[in-house]
Amino acid sequence: MEWLYSTRGFVMLAPDLTPNMGLFWYFFTEMFEHFCIFFLCVFQLNAVFYVIPLAIKLRDHPMFHLHLLVGLTAVFKSYPTFGDAALFLSLLPVWGHCFKYMRNLFLVVCMWLYSIVLAPVLWHLWIYYGSANANFFYAVTLAYATAQIFLLTDLLYAFLRREFHLRHGPAPKEGQGMPILMNLK
Amino acid sequence: MAAARASGPVLRPLFSALLFLSCYVFHTVALTKDEHTEELLIVPFRSGQVYSHFEFTTLWDLDFAGSEGPRYKLQHFRLFPRALGQVMAEYRVQEMHLTLTQGMWQQDKWSYPLTSAAPGAELWVWFQREVDDVDQAWFGLTNALSGLFCASLNFIDSTSTVTPDLSFRPQGLAQGLFKTKPSHLRYATLPRENVCTENLTPWKKLLPCSTRTGLAALFHAGQLYNTQYSSLGVHLRPVCQNDSCTDASLELRQVLSTVADPPAVLNGKQDWSMKRYFSRSLSGPCPMAGTSRVYVDVTGNQTSSFTLKPEPTELKVTSYQDYSRKLAVYDLWTFPFHKEHGLNVDMKWKREVAYNQLTPPLLYVHRFVTGYGQEHGGIMSLLYNRHPYLEQQVIYMELVPWFTRMYLHTLKVETTEGNLIQPLMTRYKPGRDRQAPYLLEMVLTLPPDSTTRVSFSFERAFLKWTEYPPDANHGFYISSAVLTTILRQADNFTVPPHMGSGLESGLFHSSSTEFPLCLHTETLLISLPTPDFSMPYNVICLTCTVIAIAFGSLHNLTTRRFQYTDLTKAGSGGLRARLARLFGREKQTTSEEQGEESETSDENTQEKLLNTNSVSEEEIDNKDR
């Protein structure tokens, strides 16, 4: 059963620390041996456990749930690639009607451009020229992950806000002064 | 008559006691027949350096009884060191070779050494046939030797140990009782290991006379390690007792080789003397040694370019094949120490060293790293065969650590003219991350008068920050490649390899036509990309922050519902709304929205929110109408 360790076990245990656009490699490079297993469990759990809360919230919208999970996997899996993000982005126009409720679109686009342009540059500087540091490339990785997370959460916010407006009508203009749309438990 | 009868009862027990004692003495001597030989060979090279080779050989005629394989019956240690003997018996070692070397033997200038050694520590062991768990025995042996020689051999683990198939065949007996299994060989090398006085001291203690008398009295650590090349060796093997090989004995060879550079010290002349080089002179032979000799190679004195003092005991000429050598022999047992007040061999040259073109030997090898950057790289070896018409079959062994992942499909063997050479046999054992290194062995036929290039690419792995050595940017060492072959000519050897024990049999009684050769290449230094070692806490914080952003946002969105709030009512809304109410509704925007998390939204986003929302409101109004 050694093949099991080399295939499924490789994805679960993440033994190889080659830099990629994910969050695992630098974290486990700098991790103390004592806490390795603990943080590995936390990270892998984090990658999968969003299924249940989102399933409860989006029980009437399975396609959107699937789309969000594709996006979350693209950020939190152990060895992500641009292909994972491409799958998520290519399905984004399906929910184009939600774009007008999105609030962080400019920020997301800026961060994404920044990370995509700088990632190969800083990688080259670190590995080939020896002038930059591993930290530069790591920062770009963090910006990339944050951009994706902002996009995901913004999309969910926009979707839910649109659902709210569909049920309860648009925000009243006049009336009792300044009505605000807020999240409250 | 009465006197004879009176002395009878006294003499008879005396006689029997004497008889018993003599039998006991003979019996003891027969059980522990061992002999010790110490020899020193000094060879001045044409390039100016002086090669000193000490060889201490102990031959012990053991009783190798055993039902299935050889078994040491170690009793009555006399000349054989007990510490080493007990370790060998405990871990069932049949043959052991340990070398601790500092510096690189320069093959093209100095021809071939007597024992080739890789820089750093190198250990290869053949275990006895009946050992069940070789890995357990290997682990125990490396730790025991590490304690015995004060060397960090305990760092040898599965990431640096291999079992070669073709190289490192047994050098001692390997037939009959000593027949070995191919899986019982272990080879490991630590190229980063340093050799210094603390390795020499326990090594000296294994000698019968230690450093009190004999040749070992010359050991002064400060001088020995101030040399270009210095190698300590311990070699243990079973050998035949006689020509018919009816019995076997255990041979322990302790070897110390140094190559010193006198011209760098003494105004350009190759002069050396024992007092100058070792800072002491010989005062007598070791009483335990049956033979104690110093050989000085004086072949180069045809034009009487140097003088050798004192007068040697004898001058011997040896010749094998077409090559003859002249050796000055000082026999310490017959040397008049009382007249000369110590033996200080002194060689004075008439002229300064003339550095001219040295002819390299017939077969030599160089190795280096190719490529740029810290992601990929390549290793290339150049194997030179300078024989004009004979081709040479060699076994080339390459051992690469796991963090330089070798790509076998990039392996290329070709001559510098571009002819591809097909290896006769290739054995490749791929490595595993953090478990086993990569081993490549090839049998190649080198064409005559050619240079063969063996090259392959590798990829560098990223290590965890605790796996880097203290000076991470110094780099990591790749151990030497080993070239094994059999030469037909002996003129490049300092002493031709021989089956017998001691230098004497090699220098004077060599009559073989095949000379096995083992060459080591340079060790390589590669740098791996390093993470920032000051960052563990920062990395944990930042990565967890990014994950917390996702978690927090999604938690908020899934557990809360949208709701309208009337801002005109007091006590509702956040800080901005209260301030707006306070300063009297100047900003009468139609609707103001707050983000669900005030932590993540910043001021800019707030402005954008207002703008986008007002736009969307209008759109909705338009839709409604």
Side-chain angles (χ1 to χ4, degrees), chain A residues 29-30 103-104 127-128 135 138 161 170-171 176 178 180 182 184, chain B residues 375 465 532 543 561 563 565-568 593 609 613 617 620:
Chain A
T29 304
E30 302 270 6
R103 304 170 305 159
N104 299 335
I127 297 290
Y128 287 96
N135 295 333
Y138 170 64
R161 173 110 184 267
Q176 305 269 352
M178 291 197 296
I180 304 178
M182 259 175 62
L184 263 182
Chain B
E375 195 182 0
W465 73 309
D532 191 346
T543 312
R561 262 184 248 116
Q563 193 172 336
T565 310
D566 199 353
L567 261 189
T568 50
E593 296 206 43
L609 292 179
N613 199 44
E617 287 290 18
I620 291 173

PDB file of all heavy atoms in Angstrom, chain A residues 29-30 103-104 127-128 135 138 161 170-171 176 178 180 182 184, chain B residues 375 465 532 543 561 563 565-568 593 609 613 617 620:
ATOM      1  N   THR A  29       7.500  25.160   6.077  1.00  0.00           N
ATOM      2  CA  THR A  29       8.959  25.309   6.097  1.00  0.00           C
ATOM      3  C   THR A  29       9.408  25.875   7.427  1.00  0.00           C
ATOM      4  O   THR A  29      10.442  25.492   7.961  1.00  0.00           O
ATOM      5  CB  THR A  29       9.399  26.255   4.964  1.00  0.00           C
ATOM      6  OG1 THR A  29       8.911  25.743   3.734  1.00  0.00           O
ATOM      7  CG2 THR A  29      10.896  26.352   4.887  1.00  0.00           C
ATOM      8  N   GLU A  30       8.623  26.824   7.945  1.00  0.00           N
ATOM      9  CA  GLU A  30       9.037  27.511   9.161  1.00  0.00           C
ATOM     10  C   GLU A  30       8.399  26.929  10.414  1.00  0.00           C
ATOM     11  O   GLU A  30       8.512  27.502  11.485  1.00  0.00           O
ATOM     12  CB  GLU A  30       8.650  29.006   9.074  1.00  0.00           C
ATOM     13  CG  GLU A  30       9.256  29.724   7.885  1.00  0.00           C
ATOM     14  CD  GLU A  30      10.610  30.321   8.203  1.00  0.00           C
ATOM     15  OE1 GLU A  30      11.118  30.085   9.298  1.00  0.00           O
ATOM     16  OE2 GLU A  30      11.149  31.039   7.348  1.00  0.00           O
ATOM     17  N   ARG A 103     -18.792  44.997  -3.525  1.00  0.00           N
ATOM     18  CA  ARG A 103     -18.227  46.235  -3.027  1.00  0.00           C
ATOM     19  C   ARG A 103     -16.718  46.314  -3.219  1.00  0.00           C
ATOM     20  O   ARG A 103     -16.161  47.388  -3.235  1.00  0.00           O
ATOM     21  CB  ARG A 103     -18.533  46.381  -1.541  1.00  0.00           C
ATOM     22  CG  ARG A 103     -20.017  46.301  -1.256  1.00  0.00           C
ATOM     23  CD  ARG A 103     -20.325  46.208   0.217  1.00  0.00           C
ATOM     24  NE  ARG A 103     -19.631  45.092   0.818  1.00  0.00           N
ATOM     25  CZ  ARG A 103     -19.380  45.007   2.110  1.00  0.00           C
ATOM     26  NH1 ARG A 103     -19.747  45.963   2.927  1.00  0.00           N
ATOM     27  NH2 ARG A 103     -18.748  43.959   2.590  1.00  0.00           N
ATOM     28  N   ASN A 104     -16.031  45.209  -3.305  1.00  0.00           N
ATOM     29  CA  ASN A 104     -14.564  45.231  -3.300  1.00  0.00           C
ATOM     30  C   ASN A 104     -13.963  44.908  -4.646  1.00  0.00           C
ATOM     31  O   ASN A 104     -12.814  44.510  -4.726  1.00  0.00           O
ATOM     32  CB  ASN A 104     -14.028  44.188  -2.308  1.00  0.00           C
ATOM     33  CG  ASN A 104     -14.483  44.461  -0.910  1.00  0.00           C
ATOM     34  OD1 ASN A 104     -14.785  45.592  -0.579  1.00  0.00           O
ATOM     35  ND2 ASN A 104     -14.571  43.409  -0.110  1.00  0.00           N
ATOM     36  N   ILE A 127      15.434  33.003  -6.644  1.00  0.00           N
ATOM     37  CA  ILE A 127      16.092  31.746  -6.984  1.00  0.00           C
ATOM     38  C   ILE A 127      17.276  31.964  -7.903  1.00  0.00           C
ATOM     39  O   ILE A 127      18.314  31.343  -7.769  1.00  0.00           O
ATOM     40  CB  ILE A 127      15.079  30.794  -7.638  1.00  0.00           C
ATOM     41  CG1 ILE A 127      13.983  30.450  -6.647  1.00  0.00           C
ATOM     42  CG2 ILE A 127      15.743  29.553  -8.142  1.00  0.00           C
ATOM     43  CD1 ILE A 127      14.426  29.581  -5.511  1.00  0.00           C
ATOM     44  N   TYR A 128      17.142  32.879  -8.846  1.00  0.00           N
ATOM     45  CA  TYR A 128      18.194  32.968  -9.856  1.00  0.00           C
ATOM     46  C   TYR A 128      19.173  34.088  -9.584  1.00  0.00           C
ATOM     47  O   TYR A 128      20.359  33.928  -9.745  1.00  0.00           O
ATOM     48  CB  TYR A 128      17.569  33.107 -11.257  1.00  0.00           C
ATOM     49  CG  TYR A 128      16.967  31.799 -11.689  1.00  0.00           C
ATOM     50  CD1 TYR A 128      15.617  31.536 -11.512  1.00  0.00           C
ATOM     51  CD2 TYR A 128      17.764  30.790 -12.203  1.00  0.00           C
ATOM     52  CE1 TYR A 128      15.089  30.317 -11.864  1.00  0.00           C
ATOM     53  CE2 TYR A 128      17.238  29.567 -12.559  1.00  0.00           C
ATOM     54  CZ  TYR A 128      15.897  29.343 -12.383  1.00  0.00           C
ATOM     55  OH  TYR A 128      15.369  28.130 -12.717  1.00  0.00           O
ATOM     56  N   ASN A 135      10.859  35.825   1.534  1.00  0.00           N
ATOM     57  CA  ASN A 135       9.748  36.604   2.078  1.00  0.00           C
ATOM     58  C   ASN A 135       9.018  37.384   0.998  1.00  0.00           C
ATOM     59  O   ASN A 135       7.812  37.587   1.084  1.00  0.00           O
ATOM     60  CB  ASN A 135      10.253  37.589   3.126  1.00  0.00           C
ATOM     61  CG  ASN A 135      10.825  36.872   4.313  1.00  0.00           C
ATOM     62  OD1 ASN A 135      10.437  35.753   4.599  1.00  0.00           O
ATOM     63  ND2 ASN A 135      11.753  37.506   4.990  1.00  0.00           N
ATOM     64  N   TYR A 138       6.735  35.097  -0.733  1.00  0.00           N
ATOM     65  CA  TYR A 138       5.702  34.709   0.225  1.00  0.00           C
ATOM     66  C   TYR A 138       4.656  35.805   0.359  1.00  0.00           C
ATOM     67  O   TYR A 138       3.458  35.527   0.447  1.00  0.00           O
ATOM     68  CB  TYR A 138       6.366  34.418   1.574  1.00  0.00           C
ATOM     69  CG  TYR A 138       5.412  34.234   2.704  1.00  0.00           C
ATOM     70  CD1 TYR A 138       4.512  33.183   2.737  1.00  0.00           C
ATOM     71  CD2 TYR A 138       5.414  35.125   3.768  1.00  0.00           C
ATOM     72  CE1 TYR A 138       3.649  33.016   3.781  1.00  0.00           C
ATOM     73  CE2 TYR A 138       4.554  34.961   4.818  1.00  0.00           C
ATOM     74  CZ  TYR A 138       3.672  33.908   4.826  1.00  0.00           C
ATOM     75  OH  TYR A 138       2.819  33.755   5.873  1.00  0.00           O
ATOM     76  N   ARG A 161     -27.294  39.571  -0.708  1.00  0.00           N
ATOM     77  CA  ARG A 161     -27.957  40.885  -0.721  1.00  0.00           C
ATOM     78  C   ARG A 161     -29.004  40.948  -1.819  1.00  0.00           C
ATOM     79  O   ARG A 161     -30.100  41.492  -1.642  1.00  0.00           O
ATOM     80  CB  ARG A 161     -26.880  41.951  -0.894  1.00  0.00           C
ATOM     81  CG  ARG A 161     -27.400  43.317  -1.084  1.00  0.00           C
ATOM     82  CD  ARG A 161     -27.138  44.217   0.122  1.00  0.00           C
ATOM     83  NE  ARG A 161     -27.800  45.493  -0.174  1.00  0.00           N
ATOM     84  CZ  ARG A 161     -27.197  46.510  -0.733  1.00  0.00           C
ATOM     85  NH1 ARG A 161     -25.932  46.447  -1.031  1.00  0.00           N
ATOM     86  NH2 ARG A 161     -27.885  47.598  -1.009  1.00  0.00           N
ATOM     87  N   PRO A 170     -36.518  46.758  -2.970  1.00  0.00           N
ATOM     88  CA  PRO A 170     -35.314  47.578  -2.863  1.00  0.00           C
ATOM     89  C   PRO A 170     -35.358  48.420  -1.603  1.00  0.00           C
ATOM     90  O   PRO A 170     -36.393  48.580  -0.979  1.00  0.00           O
ATOM     91  CB  PRO A 170     -35.371  48.434  -4.112  1.00  0.00           C
ATOM     92  CG  PRO A 170     -36.816  48.496  -4.459  1.00  0.00           C
ATOM     93  CD  PRO A 170     -37.411  47.190  -4.037  1.00  0.00           C
ATOM     94  N   ALA A 171     -34.207  48.997  -1.284  1.00  0.00           N
ATOM     95  CA  ALA A 171     -34.120  49.783  -0.055  1.00  0.00           C
ATOM     96  C   ALA A 171     -34.997  51.024  -0.185  1.00  0.00           C
ATOM     97  O   ALA A 171     -34.933  51.750  -1.180  1.00  0.00           O
ATOM     98  CB  ALA A 171     -32.675  50.177   0.195  1.00  0.00           C
ATOM     99  N   GLN A 176     -38.807  56.873   6.891  1.00  0.00           N
ATOM    100  CA  GLN A 176     -38.490  57.259   8.244  1.00  0.00           C
ATOM    101  C   GLN A 176     -37.080  57.836   8.361  1.00  0.00           C
ATOM    102  O   GLN A 176     -36.394  57.580   9.333  1.00  0.00           O
ATOM    103  CB  GLN A 176     -38.586  56.029   9.156  1.00  0.00           C
ATOM    104  CG  GLN A 176     -39.911  55.327   9.085  1.00  0.00           C
ATOM    105  CD  GLN A 176     -40.846  55.887  10.136  1.00  0.00           C
ATOM    106  OE1 GLN A 176     -40.427  56.677  10.965  1.00  0.00           O
ATOM    107  NE2 GLN A 176     -42.099  55.494  10.077  1.00  0.00           N
ATOM    108  N   MET A 178     -33.191  57.825   7.346  1.00  0.00           N
ATOM    109  CA  MET A 178     -32.110  57.163   6.602  1.00  0.00           C
ATOM    110  C   MET A 178     -32.132  55.664   6.872  1.00  0.00           C
ATOM    111  O   MET A 178     -31.619  55.215   7.887  1.00  0.00           O
ATOM    112  CB  MET A 178     -30.763  57.721   7.043  1.00  0.00           C
ATOM    113  CG  MET A 178     -30.541  59.153   6.602  1.00  0.00           C
ATOM    114  SD  MET A 178     -28.799  59.544   6.702  1.00  0.00           S
ATOM    115  CE  MET A 178     -28.537  59.400   8.449  1.00  0.00           C
ATOM    116  N   ILE A 180     -31.010  51.940   6.688  1.00  0.00           N
ATOM    117  CA  ILE A 180     -29.730  51.266   6.457  1.00  0.00           C
ATOM    118  C   ILE A 180     -30.001  49.786   6.319  1.00  0.00           C
ATOM    119  O   ILE A 180     -30.892  49.240   6.966  1.00  0.00           O
ATOM    120  CB  ILE A 180     -28.777  51.469   7.650  1.00  0.00           C
ATOM    121  CG1 ILE A 180     -28.558  52.941   7.935  1.00  0.00           C
ATOM    122  CG2 ILE A 180     -27.468  50.803   7.358  1.00  0.00           C
ATOM    123  CD1 ILE A 180     -27.668  53.142   9.114  1.00  0.00           C
ATOM    124  N   MET A 182     -28.431  46.348   7.098  1.00  0.00           N
ATOM    125  CA  MET A 182     -27.371  45.854   7.961  1.00  0.00           C
ATOM    126  C   MET A 182     -27.515  44.380   8.171  1.00  0.00           C
ATOM    127  O   MET A 182     -28.594  43.818   7.996  1.00  0.00           O
ATOM    128  CB  MET A 182     -27.471  46.540   9.335  1.00  0.00           C
ATOM    129  CG  MET A 182     -26.483  47.657   9.524  1.00  0.00           C
ATOM    130  SD  MET A 182     -26.755  48.501  11.066  1.00  0.00           S
ATOM    131  CE  MET A 182     -26.488  47.209  12.215  1.00  0.00           C
ATOM    132  N   LEU A 184     -27.694  41.650  10.945  1.00  0.00           N
ATOM    133  CA  LEU A 184     -27.902  41.477  12.378  1.00  0.00           C
ATOM    134  C   LEU A 184     -28.319  40.052  12.622  1.00  0.00           C
ATOM    135  O   LEU A 184     -28.953  39.428  11.776  1.00  0.00           O
ATOM    136  CB  LEU A 184     -29.026  42.398  12.869  1.00  0.00           C
ATOM    137  CG  LEU A 184     -28.624  43.735  13.492  1.00  0.00           C
ATOM    138  CD1 LEU A 184     -29.857  44.469  13.959  1.00  0.00           C
ATOM    139  CD2 LEU A 184     -27.667  43.544  14.651  1.00  0.00           C
TER     140      LEU A 184
ATOM    141  N   GLU B 375      17.458  26.494  -8.602  1.00  0.00           N
ATOM    142  CA  GLU B 375      16.319  25.599  -8.833  1.00  0.00           C
ATOM    143  C   GLU B 375      16.782  24.286  -9.445  1.00  0.00           C
ATOM    144  O   GLU B 375      16.460  23.214  -8.969  1.00  0.00           O
ATOM    145  CB  GLU B 375      15.314  26.286  -9.743  1.00  0.00           C
ATOM    146  CG  GLU B 375      13.979  25.589  -9.744  1.00  0.00           C
ATOM    147  CD  GLU B 375      13.002  26.246 -10.697  1.00  0.00           C
ATOM    148  OE1 GLU B 375      13.387  27.234 -11.336  1.00  0.00           O
ATOM    149  OE2 GLU B 375      11.877  25.775 -10.795  1.00  0.00           O
ATOM    150  N   TRP B 465      13.179  24.373   7.779  1.00  0.00           N
ATOM    151  CA  TRP B 465      14.226  25.253   8.308  1.00  0.00           C
ATOM    152  C   TRP B 465      15.118  24.568   9.338  1.00  0.00           C
ATOM    153  O   TRP B 465      16.255  24.971   9.550  1.00  0.00           O
ATOM    154  CB  TRP B 465      13.608  26.515   8.899  1.00  0.00           C
ATOM    155  CG  TRP B 465      12.897  26.339  10.178  1.00  0.00           C
ATOM    156  CD1 TRP B 465      11.931  25.421  10.444  1.00  0.00           C
ATOM    157  CD2 TRP B 465      13.061  27.076  11.381  1.00  0.00           C
ATOM    158  NE1 TRP B 465      11.482  25.542  11.725  1.00  0.00           N
ATOM    159  CE2 TRP B 465      12.151  26.566  12.334  1.00  0.00           C
ATOM    160  CE3 TRP B 465      13.886  28.127  11.754  1.00  0.00           C
ATOM    161  CZ2 TRP B 465      12.053  27.066  13.625  1.00  0.00           C
ATOM    162  CZ3 TRP B 465      13.781  28.620  13.037  1.00  0.00           C
ATOM    163  CH2 TRP B 465      12.879  28.094  13.964  1.00  0.00           C
ATOM    164  N   ASP B 532      13.736  32.387   5.224  1.00  0.00           N
ATOM    165  CA  ASP B 532      14.240  33.354   6.194  1.00  0.00           C
ATOM    166  C   ASP B 532      14.117  32.729   7.569  1.00  0.00           C
ATOM    167  O   ASP B 532      13.029  32.420   8.027  1.00  0.00           O
ATOM    168  CB  ASP B 532      13.420  34.639   6.103  1.00  0.00           C
ATOM    169  CG  ASP B 532      14.068  35.765   6.881  1.00  0.00           C
ATOM    170  OD1 ASP B 532      14.983  35.482   7.685  1.00  0.00           O
ATOM    171  OD2 ASP B 532      13.661  36.916   6.686  1.00  0.00           O
ATOM    172  N   THR B 543      -0.016  33.987   7.907  1.00  0.00           N
ATOM    173  CA  THR B 543      -0.831  32.979   7.231  1.00  0.00           C
ATOM    174  C   THR B 543      -2.129  32.756   7.980  1.00  0.00           C
ATOM    175  O   THR B 543      -3.198  32.641   7.362  1.00  0.00           O
ATOM    176  CB  THR B 543      -0.041  31.661   7.120  1.00  0.00           C
ATOM    177  OG1 THR B 543       1.251  31.932   6.618  1.00  0.00           O
ATOM    178  CG2 THR B 543      -0.740  30.699   6.201  1.00  0.00           C
ATOM    179  N   ARG B 561     -28.318  37.726   9.151  1.00  0.00           N
ATOM    180  CA  ARG B 561     -29.283  38.015   8.101  1.00  0.00           C
ATOM    181  C   ARG B 561     -29.331  39.499   7.869  1.00  0.00           C
ATOM    182  O   ARG B 561     -29.059  40.293   8.776  1.00  0.00           O
ATOM    183  CB  ARG B 561     -30.669  37.516   8.529  1.00  0.00           C
ATOM    184  CG  ARG B 561     -30.992  36.165   7.931  1.00  0.00           C
ATOM    185  CD  ARG B 561     -32.383  35.723   8.267  1.00  0.00           C
ATOM    186  NE  ARG B 561     -32.336  34.590   9.163  1.00  0.00           N
ATOM    187  CZ  ARG B 561     -32.802  34.598  10.410  1.00  0.00           C
ATOM    188  NH1 ARG B 561     -33.335  35.681  10.913  1.00  0.00           N
ATOM    189  NH2 ARG B 561     -32.723  33.503  11.149  1.00  0.00           N
ATOM    190  N   GLN B 563     -30.976  43.091   7.357  1.00  0.00           N
ATOM    191  CA  GLN B 563     -32.070  43.747   8.094  1.00  0.00           C
ATOM    192  C   GLN B 563     -31.990  45.249   7.901  1.00  0.00           C
ATOM    193  O   GLN B 563     -30.899  45.803   7.785  1.00  0.00           O
ATOM    194  CB  GLN B 563     -31.903  43.416   9.574  1.00  0.00           C
ATOM    195  CG  GLN B 563     -33.078  43.746  10.419  1.00  0.00           C
ATOM    196  CD  GLN B 563     -32.869  43.194  11.790  1.00  0.00           C
ATOM    197  OE1 GLN B 563     -32.117  42.246  11.979  1.00  0.00           O
ATOM    198  NE2 GLN B 563     -33.507  43.783  12.754  1.00  0.00           N
ATOM    199  N   THR B 565     -32.384  49.068   9.241  1.00  0.00           N
ATOM    200  CA  THR B 565     -32.320  49.787  10.509  1.00  0.00           C
ATOM    201  C   THR B 565     -32.695  51.227  10.240  1.00  0.00           C
ATOM    202  O   THR B 565     -32.206  51.847   9.294  1.00  0.00           O
ATOM    203  CB  THR B 565     -30.913  49.748  11.100  1.00  0.00           C
ATOM    204  OG1 THR B 565     -30.465  48.415  11.091  1.00  0.00           O
ATOM    205  CG2 THR B 565     -30.901  50.286  12.510  1.00  0.00           C
ATOM    206  N   ASP B 566     -33.541  51.764  11.061  1.00  0.00           N
ATOM    207  CA  ASP B 566     -33.923  53.157  10.894  1.00  0.00           C
ATOM    208  C   ASP B 566     -32.920  54.024  11.606  1.00  0.00           C
ATOM    209  O   ASP B 566     -32.789  53.985  12.835  1.00  0.00           O
ATOM    210  CB  ASP B 566     -35.318  53.377  11.487  1.00  0.00           C
ATOM    211  CG  ASP B 566     -35.924  54.641  10.920  1.00  0.00           C
ATOM    212  OD1 ASP B 566     -35.214  55.374  10.199  1.00  0.00           O
ATOM    213  OD2 ASP B 566     -37.101  54.877  11.207  1.00  0.00           O
ATOM    214  N   LEU B 567     -32.216  54.847  10.814  1.00  0.00           N
ATOM    215  CA  LEU B 567     -31.123  55.611  11.398  1.00  0.00           C
ATOM    216  C   LEU B 567     -31.618  56.818  12.182  1.00  0.00           C
ATOM    217  O   LEU B 567     -30.893  57.423  12.946  1.00  0.00           O
ATOM    218  CB  LEU B 567     -30.195  56.107  10.295  1.00  0.00           C
ATOM    219  CG  LEU B 567     -28.935  55.268  10.092  1.00  0.00           C
ATOM    220  CD1 LEU B 567     -28.007  55.983   9.149  1.00  0.00           C
ATOM    221  CD2 LEU B 567     -28.226  54.996  11.392  1.00  0.00           C
ATOM    222  N   THR B 568     -32.883  57.226  11.919  1.00  0.00           N
ATOM    223  CA  THR B 568     -33.364  58.412  12.645  1.00  0.00           C
ATOM    224  C   THR B 568     -33.558  58.101  14.113  1.00  0.00           C
ATOM    225  O   THR B 568     -33.470  58.976  14.948  1.00  0.00           O
ATOM    226  CB  THR B 568     -34.693  58.890  12.044  1.00  0.00           C
ATOM    227  OG1 THR B 568     -35.552  57.746  11.947  1.00  0.00           O
ATOM    228  CG2 THR B 568     -34.461  59.474  10.665  1.00  0.00           C
ATOM    229  N   GLU B 593     -24.790  52.507   3.885  1.00  0.00           N
ATOM    230  CA  GLU B 593     -24.695  51.103   4.269  1.00  0.00           C
ATOM    231  C   GLU B 593     -23.389  50.841   5.000  1.00  0.00           C
ATOM    232  O   GLU B 593     -22.379  51.436   4.712  1.00  0.00           O
ATOM    233  CB  GLU B 593     -24.749  50.226   3.005  1.00  0.00           C
ATOM    234  CG  GLU B 593     -26.063  50.351   2.295  1.00  0.00           C
ATOM    235  CD  GLU B 593     -26.337  49.091   1.504  1.00  0.00           C
ATOM    236  OE1 GLU B 593     -26.104  47.988   2.010  1.00  0.00           O
ATOM    237  OE2 GLU B 593     -26.759  49.212   0.384  1.00  0.00           O
ATOM    238  N   LEU B 609     -18.766  52.138  -1.200  1.00  0.00           N
ATOM    239  CA  LEU B 609     -20.064  51.556  -0.852  1.00  0.00           C
ATOM    240  C   LEU B 609     -21.175  52.570  -1.104  1.00  0.00           C
ATOM    241  O   LEU B 609     -22.199  52.268  -1.688  1.00  0.00           O
ATOM    242  CB  LEU B 609     -20.094  51.146   0.616  1.00  0.00           C
ATOM    243  CG  LEU B 609     -19.211  49.976   1.032  1.00  0.00           C
ATOM    244  CD1 LEU B 609     -19.362  49.757   2.519  1.00  0.00           C
ATOM    245  CD2 LEU B 609     -19.587  48.742   0.281  1.00  0.00           C
ATOM    246  N   ASN B 613     -23.880  51.900  -3.960  1.00  0.00           N
ATOM    247  CA  ASN B 613     -25.237  51.673  -3.473  1.00  0.00           C
ATOM    248  C   ASN B 613     -26.206  52.675  -4.073  1.00  0.00           C
ATOM    249  O   ASN B 613     -27.309  52.337  -4.451  1.00  0.00           O
ATOM    250  CB  ASN B 613     -25.272  51.723  -1.944  1.00  0.00           C
ATOM    251  CG  ASN B 613     -26.500  51.047  -1.421  1.00  0.00           C
ATOM    252  OD1 ASN B 613     -26.849  49.978  -1.895  1.00  0.00           O
ATOM    253  ND2 ASN B 613     -27.172  51.685  -0.503  1.00  0.00           N
ATOM    254  N   GLU B 617     -29.358  51.695  -6.262  1.00  0.00           N
ATOM    255  CA  GLU B 617     -30.710  52.106  -5.874  1.00  0.00           C
ATOM    256  C   GLU B 617     -31.447  52.693  -7.060  1.00  0.00           C
ATOM    257  O   GLU B 617     -32.599  52.388  -7.341  1.00  0.00           O
ATOM    258  CB  GLU B 617     -30.645  53.142  -4.749  1.00  0.00           C
ATOM    259  CG  GLU B 617     -30.250  52.570  -3.392  1.00  0.00           C
ATOM    260  CD  GLU B 617     -31.337  51.693  -2.772  1.00  0.00           C
ATOM    261  OE1 GLU B 617     -32.256  51.232  -3.479  1.00  0.00           O
ATOM    262  OE2 GLU B 617     -31.237  51.476  -1.564  1.00  0.00           O
ATOM    263  N   ILE B 620     -32.491  50.046  -9.421  1.00  0.00           N
ATOM    264  CA  ILE B 620     -33.664  49.310  -8.959  1.00  0.00           C
ATOM    265  C   ILE B 620     -34.921  50.145  -9.186  1.00  0.00           C
ATOM    266  O   ILE B 620     -35.952  49.645  -9.634  1.00  0.00           O
ATOM    267  CB  ILE B 620     -33.500  48.936  -7.475  1.00  0.00           C
ATOM    268  CG1 ILE B 620     -32.385  47.879  -7.338  1.00  0.00           C
ATOM    269  CG2 ILE B 620     -34.802  48.409  -6.910  1.00  0.00           C
ATOM    270  CD1 ILE B 620     -32.028  47.564  -5.945  1.00  0.00           C
TER     271      ILE B 620
END
